[in-house]
Amino acid sequence: MYFEPHDYQAHTIDFIEQHPVAAVFLGMGLGKTIITLTAIDNLICDCVTVRRVLIIAPLRVARDTWPAELSKWEHLKGLRMSVMVGTAAQREKALAADADIWVINRENLPWLVERVGERRWPFDMVVI
C-alpha cells in the first residue's frame, strides 16, 4: 500500500525526526504507528542517525500490530523487524536477529534489561 501522509502526519513525522525526545498524542486510528515507522525509516535510511530501534508495547500490539503495519506499507519494505515475545528461547532468537527494529511487550522488558546486563545499551532509539 502507498502512504501519502495527511498534513498533520507529515508534521508529526518531521517533529519526531527533528527532536531527540518526542511524544505523539493522537487519537485511535490517526496513524501513530505508520507515522512512527516512517520517521524510523527516515532516521535509519536518510539521516543515518539511528541504527537500532526498540519498540515497547502491550503484548497484542507488539506481536500483531507493529509487524502488520510494517508489512502493509510499500515505503517500509527495507526495514527489518524482530518481535521478542514468547518463550525465553524465542526471545533470545529474536534478540539475535539481523534487524533494524526490535519489538517487545512490556512484561518482557525486565528480561531484556537483565539480558543486556552490564553491556552497553544496544538501542539508539526507544519507542514506548
Side-chain angles (χ1 to χ4, degrees):
M1 187 178 295
Y2 179 74
F3 176 59
E4 182 65 41
H6 297 285
D7 289 344
Y8 74 91
Q9 291 172 321
H11 172 77
T12 307
I13 291 165
D14 290 340
F15 187 87
I16 293 169
E17 292 173 11
Q18 298 301 317
H19 294 84
V21 177
V24 176
F25 297 100
L26 294 171
M28 285 181 59
L30 293 179
K32 291 180 297 294
T33 306
I34 184 61
I35 287 167
T36 304
L37 285 170
T38 300
I40 289 169
D41 184 57
N42 292 345
L43 289 167
I44 289 174
C45 298
D46 298 341
C47 303
V48 196
T49 55
V50 171
R51 294 177 305 123
R52 298 171 57 95
V53 177
L54 175 65
I55 296 174
I56 304 165
L59 176 61
R60 187 188 59 76
V61 176
R63 185 190 62 221
D64 302 332
T65 303
W66 284 96
E69 283 293 308
L70 182 64
S71 66
K72 182 176 172 179
W73 302 101
E74 189 64 34
H75 71 289
L76 301 175
K77 294 297 183 201
L79 288 178
R80 300 161 299 159
M81 181 179 285
S82 183
V83 179
M84 297 184 289
V85 299
T87 66
Q90 291 169 320
R91 294 190 308 268
E92 286 286 345
K93 183 177 178 182
L95 180 59
D98 186 21
D100 305 299
I101 301 169
W102 287 261
V103 184
I104 193 166
N105 59 306
R106 295 179 299 213
E107 295 79 10
N108 284 328
L109 190 56
W111 167 84
L112 178 62
V113 171
E114 183 178 306
R115 174 68 176 75
V116 171
E118 297 296 319
R119 297 181 322 185
R120 184 173 175 262
W121 185 248
F123 303 102
D124 307 306
M125 180 177 185
V126 177
V127 174
I128 301 172

